[in-house]
Amino acid sequence: MIDALLTYLPSDFPWKDRIHYFDTIDSTNTRAKELAAQSAPHGTVLLADRQTGGRGRMGRSFHSPAGKGIYLSVILRPGCHASQLMHLTCAAGTAMCDAVEKAAGLRPGIKWTNDLVVGSRKLGGILTELSLNPDGTVACAVVGIGINCSHAAEDFPEDIRSIATSLHMVSGSEISREQMIAAMLESLEAMSRELLTGKEAIMAQYRTDCVTLGRQISVVTADRVRHGIARDIDQDGGLIVEFPDGHLEAVSSGEVSIRGMYGYI
Ligand code: BTN
């Protein structure tokens, strides 16, 4: 896998000497955090053919069968305070839209904050996890990305079959996983260089990619469900929602469902 991947990467790609491949792993994010704790450098990449405990946001699992998807985590050491990195998931999202567009010829949308979507179906997701030093600076950030690549509809378990899609299903052609991974790594490496200095441009692109804006949504938190319209995204990636009484509020956590997407009507 790594040899084939390297044929798609520029010969001077700065992370090419720190790519780890696993046939089977519980979760590339979990393993990345372990490696980071053992001083793995910025740009360390973990790839797996299959995950037995792939994780998503909000304690969900990420279906990760062998030979079908891309399961990738990268360790970043941006050397900044956590408050400067609130837009990291958004930055990774637009970087992944760039990569899919480059390798597969179509640009997905982003369902706020971290789902890659095509039409009303989920193509993949992003799970970012930060480890902080006692002074609030970032010891490391792990950005984990899962993309459904070669799946046919029947490869998805029944409970997600009607809401999931794959690059193969949307493009009608066979997408090389190695080529897709190379595009993802190049996008992530470029993103990591622009993360702190290019925040405005990153967030402008995120607003363009985000399919949530302008839609009727429901915001689900532990104690209540509220309905509103998604109006904007702030510089930290918070979703600005207009509620029925007209007030605007930035939502930064909880589950946001979009009317008409993933079956929510
Ligand atoms: C989500 O859908 O909420 C995010 C899914 C993120 C899945 C990826 S696959 C690689 C990495 N390892 C994990 O356990 N999760 C992420």
Side-chain angles (χ1 to χ4, degrees):
M1 153 65 97
I2 293 185
D3 287 346
L5 170 61
L6 291 178
T7 66
Y8 290 106
L9 284 168
S11 56
D12 59 352
F13 184 67
W15 297 349
K16 72 173 186 183
D17 63 345
R18 55 199 80 165
I19 302 174
H20 303 255
Y21 173 76
F22 305 85
D23 282 325
T24 298
I25 201 167
D26 54 351
S27 153
T28 55
N29 262 40
T30 303
R31 186 74 189 115
K33 287 197 286 184
E34 289 165 7
L35 285 184
Q38 295 160 20
S39 306
H42 174 80
T44 299
V45 173
L46 291 88
L47 285 165
D49 186 48
R50 164 179 180 251
Q51 295 184 119
T52 54
R55 297 186 287 111
R57 266 182 81 237
M58 314 206 32
R60 298 212 176 92
S61 61
F62 188 80
H63 179 62
S64 310
K68 301 289 176 192
I70 294 171
Y71 320 114
L72 180 159
S73 299
V74 62
I75 297 171
L76 302 179
R77 297 194 185 274
C80 64
H81 197 271
S83 60
Q84 292 171 272
L85 222 53
M86 303 297 283
H87 64 307
L88 177 58
T89 301
C90 298
T94 59
M96 290 308 94
C97 289
D98 291 345
V100 172
E101 188 171 22
K102 181 177 172 195
L106 62 109
R107 191 170 185 92
I110 301 172
K111 175 187 170 289
W112 183 87
T113 49
N114 71 322
D115 279 356
L116 299 172
V117 298
V118 176
S120 59
R121 288 170 181 250
K122 178 162 170 165
L123 178 72
I126 297 166
L127 177 67
T128 51
E129 299 183 281
L130 300 187
S131 299
L132 304 186
N133 295 313
D135 63 357
T137 54
V138 176
C140 81
V142 171
V143 180
I145 299 139
I147 294 190
N148 303 325
C149 201
S150 319
H151 303 59
E154 55 273 18
D155 293 321
F156 292 108
E158 242 171 64
D159 58 328
I160 59 169
R161 198 169 293 163
S162 64
I163 60 169
T165 193
S166 71
L167 288 174
H168 170 66
M169 289 165 68
V170 294
S171 70
S173 49
E174 216 40 69
I175 308 288
S176 146
R177 278 195 300 168
E178 286 86 0
Q179 192 175 356
M180 185 69 235
I181 292 166
M184 291 164 72
L185 291 180
E186 284 196 82
S187 283
L188 285 167
E189 195 275 327
M191 175 213 80
S192 75
R193 282 185 278 111
E194 293 152 11
L195 197 53
L196 300 178
T197 53
K199 188 168 176 178
E200 275 191 23
I202 289 170
M203 291 311 297
Q205 183 60 52
Y206 184 83
R207 286 184 196 97
T208 302
D209 288 326
C210 183
V211 300
T212 310
L213 290 181
R215 306 282 292 267
Q216 286 191 26
I217 57 152
S218 65
V219 184
V220 184
T221 43
D223 55 338
R224 57 185 173 157
V225 180
R226 294 186 296 161
H227 301 282
I229 298 177
R231 289 294 185 203
D232 201 359
I233 291 158
D234 68 24
Q235 284 301 90
D236 289 333
L239 184 68
I240 307 213
V241 180
E242 181 181 346
F243 288 102
D245 65 1
H247 91 279
L248 295 170
E249 197 178 306
V251 174
S252 56
S253 62
E255 174 71 318
V256 167
S257 308
I258 306 177
R259 194 169 179 133
M261 183 169 261
Y262 301 173
Y264 161 55
I265 292 292

